Amino acid sequence: MLKDISHKTVAVLATVVVLTVALAVTVSFADEATGNPVQAQIDQGKSTYASKCSHCHGPNLMNSGTITPDLRAFPDDKTRFVTTVKNGKNNKMPPWGDILSDDEIGDLWAFISSRRKP
């Protein structure tokens, strides 16, 4: 009986090792195929920004001569950003919470924060 348990334990451990290695290889290939996940968010945010935000905020995160702020100078405050995008601002910026998903807003944050002025 002890011999059977030992073989079963070894078989289970071997299976776990094989699955762990397979998962690691799969993740590695996924990273190579899609690049850095943060970069993927930035790219997606850039696309969303171009289609939803640039008409007011400008193509380069600023729109001179308007009331919109220079988004390159937006504070490093994701909570404030998400709240502003979802709820709008001072009846001048419309709320986007019913239009953009949480993931899209997160991607926008990744894009805008990657372009922040030092």
Side-chain angles (χ1 to χ4, degrees):
M1 182 75 171
L2 184 57
K3 190 174 181 181
D4 288 339
I5 293 173
S6 177
H7 287 296
K8 287 180 183 177
T9 302
V10 169
V12 168
L13 288 174
T15 301
V16 169
V17 168
V18 168
L19 291 174
T20 301
V21 170
L23 178 62
V25 169
T26 301
V27 169
S28 175
F29 283 129
D31 283 347
E32 289 173 12
T34 61
N36 182 344
V38 172
Q39 186 60 52
Q41 279 187 293
I42 291 169
D43 293 343
Q44 191 62 39
K46 182 178 182 178
S47 175
T48 300
Y49 180 86
S51 67
K52 305 288 188 197
C53 311
S54 66
H55 60 281
C56 289
H57 288 282
N60 296 313
L61 305 178
M62 58 177 256
N63 196 355
S64 299
T66 68
I67 60 169
T68 60
D70 181 347
L71 293 178
R72 300 170 304 164
F74 196 90
D76 188 15
D77 185 345
K78 183 176 181 180
T79 301
R80 178 178 166 190
F81 177 82
V82 169
T83 300
T84 300
V85 172
K86 283 186 173 191
N87 301 327
K89 183 84 173 179
N90 300 329
N91 291 323
K92 294 177 182 164
M93 177 178 161
W96 290 86
D98 291 337
I99 299 166
L100 298 174
S101 70
D102 288 344
D103 286 343
E104 288 172 312
I105 294 170
D107 294 344
L108 278 171
W109 172 250
F111 170 64
I112 290 169
S113 63
S114 75
R115 302 299 191 275
R116 186 176 294 112
K117 287 182 184 177

